[in-house]
Amino acid sequence: MGLSEGFWHHEYWLPPGATWEDMKESADVYYPQPQDLLLCIPGALLLIIVRCVFERTIALPLGRRLGVNDKLRPKVQPNATLEGFYVLLGRTPKEGDLISLVKQSDLPVRKVETWFRHRRAQDRPRLMKKFCETSWRFTFYFTSFFSGLALLYDKPWFWDHTVCWLRFPQQPLLPALGWYYLLELSFYCSLVATLPFDMKRKDFKEQIIHHIATITLIFVSYCANLIRFGMIVMLVHDASDYILELAKMLHYMKWKRVCEAVFIVFAVVFIISRLVFFPLITYYYFVTKFQLFLITCLINTFLMILQLLHIFWSYLIIHMIFGVILHGAKRKDARSDTEESDRSEAEDLANNRE
């Protein structure tokens, strides 16, 4: 048995007693084929192109009309010594490095510290960039959720999950569900491809784990013909994502009260969908009502990873609501950028004017 044949052995991918022969296609019946997933590569590239066009032609003019403006930032005086250290060794020099840089650049300590603070400010994503990225994700999540809802609302297995597993794996694939699956996979692949260029947040590592888990679940569930189960999981996840992106857009527009109201709605939907519906739908029916085999064990592992991320993000959301919105504490996004706050920039600008 070759490596490819061993990898695709039916005992790994299908429940006991089922083989790939049970999923033979005919003129009227179509089943998922692993080679279909190769379309996610051009699909991801196409989505990146669409995103660039969307941000330039729609999100950017929209942001300007809604009053989203980038703050004025202090300019950095060219300095080869400091720039070389910044690029090669670090964005925030330690005390020993600072003394060395003072000697090399022949500048006072305060000037060197200010230079690095200004230089870091230059690399921080601007407000308009944040608005454009958020607008793109809002558009996709909104379209994805309601398109998925339109595809599933008339399916009996969507409302009665016990029907979801009838005659598995001999469940023909509807073309619309297949394209929906490929679109979701392409989108998450595009997110991974653009991670180095998008604004980084404090939960950057958790985001990477989430994307890897999501891509793995989509790939494995498609190959094993767990399309029905996968569609329900994706719809549960998409239910709250577009609300969060809307709240971010309102935050960048400085519509404070509306933003806080939308964020509370998001929190309620997120906690109900991720901490109630998700474990009930996935674990109860998938673990207790379904015969386990190798691939389902792998899926269970990644579902558990997602659930742990849901608990982590729910903690941040609840902390945000009680600490900022209800008690009026100093506003600081739990997933904010890792650089200095806008307050530091304002202080630098004031110092420059002086």
Side-chain angles (χ1 to χ4, degrees):
M1 181 183 294
L3 181 62
S4 177
E5 293 179 357
F7 180 79
W8 293 109
H9 196 274
H10 63 84
E11 290 184 355
Y12 304 149
W13 293 88
L14 302 177
T19 66
W20 294 115
E21 295 295 321
D22 299 327
M23 298 169 58
K24 271 195 171 182
E25 297 182 354
S26 63
D28 302 324
V29 179
Y30 183 77
Y31 290 101
Q33 301 297 321
Q35 60 267 26
D36 296 342
L37 297 176
L38 293 175
L39 292 173
C40 75
I41 299 175
L45 294 176
L46 180 60
L47 283 177
I48 293 174
I49 295 173
V50 172
R51 171 184 170 174
C52 292
V53 174
F54 174 87
E55 290 184 358
R56 288 176 178 271
T57 61
I58 298 177
L60 187 61
L62 178 64
R64 288 172 178 165
R65 289 182 65 88
L66 294 173
V68 179
N69 296 311
D70 291 324
K71 293 184 177 180
L72 184 63
R73 293 184 175 180
K75 294 183 179 180
V76 175
Q77 297 297 326
N79 189 304
T81 300
L82 302 183
E83 183 68 26
F85 184 95
Y86 182 88
V87 173
L88 299 176
L89 299 178
R91 297 151 64 99
T92 307
K94 298 179 181 179
E95 186 176 351
D97 297 324
L98 194 61
I99 296 173
S100 176
L101 289 170
V102 167
K103 295 178 180 179
Q104 295 177 45
S105 62
D106 196 25
L107 292 173
V109 175
R110 178 163 181 167
K111 286 282 187 182
V112 174
E113 291 175 337
T114 301
W115 188 95
F116 274 93
R117 190 161 60 250
H118 290 180
R119 185 64 179 84
R120 290 193 296 270
Q122 277 192 349
D123 286 348
R124 291 184 67 233
R126 294 186 176 272
L127 198 62
M128 184 60 77
K129 175 178 171 61
K130 295 179 182 179
F131 181 84
C132 291
E133 288 185 11
T134 303
S135 299
W136 164 248
R137 290 195 297 270
F138 167 78
T139 302
F140 182 87
Y141 289 137
F142 182 88
T143 305
S144 173
F145 174 69
F146 287 100
S147 298
L149 206 58
L151 288 174
L152 299 185
Y153 84 95
D154 61 343
K155 306 295 186 296
W157 49 265
F158 175 65
W159 303 104
D160 184 0
H161 302 310
T162 56
V163 183
C164 184
W165 307 110
L166 290 180
R167 303 191 65 228
F168 173 80
Q170 295 174 294
Q171 297 174 343
L173 174 64
L174 298 176
L177 299 188
W179 285 112
Y180 183 90
Y181 237 71
L182 290 174
L183 179 64
E184 289 279 338
L185 180 59
S186 299
F187 176 72
Y188 282 102
C189 288
S190 72
L191 288 184
V192 172
T194 57
L195 270 177
F197 312 102
D198 293 339
M199 56 182 180
K200 292 181 176 59
R201 297 186 178 275
K202 288 186 177 180
D203 65 344
F204 179 74
K205 294 179 181 179
E206 288 82 4
Q207 283 291 326
I208 294 177
I209 295 173
H210 175 271
H211 295 340
I212 292 175
T214 302
I215 290 172
T216 303
L217 285 171
I218 294 175
F219 174 84
V220 170
S221 61
Y222 188 88
C223 294
N225 198 21
L226 289 163
I227 301 294
R228 295 181 178 181
F229 171 73
M231 287 291 297
I232 295 172
V233 171
M234 286 191 288
L235 201 63
V236 168
H237 277 76
D238 289 344
S240 60
D241 287 340
Y242 72 93
I243 306 176
L244 173 62
E245 303 303 332
L246 177 60
K248 290 180 183 178
M249 292 170 62
L250 294 169
H251 174 65
Y252 301 144
M253 294 158 52
K254 303 189 186 307
W255 292 12
K256 180 180 177 182
R257 297 302 179 189
V258 182
C259 170
E260 291 176 349
V262 172
F263 187 83
I264 291 175
V265 173
F266 155 74
V268 172
V269 175
F270 182 92
I271 292 172
I272 292 176
S273 61
R274 305 291 182 95
L275 299 187
V276 179
F277 287 160
F278 179 74
L280 282 179
I281 292 172
T282 58
Y283 296 120
Y284 180 72
Y285 288 105
F286 191 66
V287 176
T288 65
K289 301 294 184 181
F290 191 64
Q291 192 173 12
L292 296 179
F293 50 98
L294 181 62
I295 286 301
T296 56
C297 293
L298 177 65
I299 290 176
N300 285 335
T301 301
F302 280 97
L303 290 176
M304 182 61 69
I305 292 173
L306 287 182
Q307 188 61 43
L308 292 175
L309 289 173
H310 297 162
I311 296 172
F312 168 73
W313 282 321
S314 296
Y315 166 76
L316 295 182
I317 291 168
I318 294 171
H319 183 268
M320 180 80 173
I321 290 176
F322 282 93
V324 177
I325 297 178
L326 297 183
H327 293 110
K330 181 180 176 181
R331 180 177 298 277
K332 184 177 181 182
D333 188 352
R335 297 180 56 203
S336 61
D337 305 325
T338 56
E339 300 300 328
E340 291 94 342
S341 65
D342 292 335
R343 182 180 177 184
S344 297
E345 293 182 17
E347 292 173 352
D348 291 336
L349 288 169
N351 291 335
N352 283 354
R353 291 192 186 99
E354 292 174 0

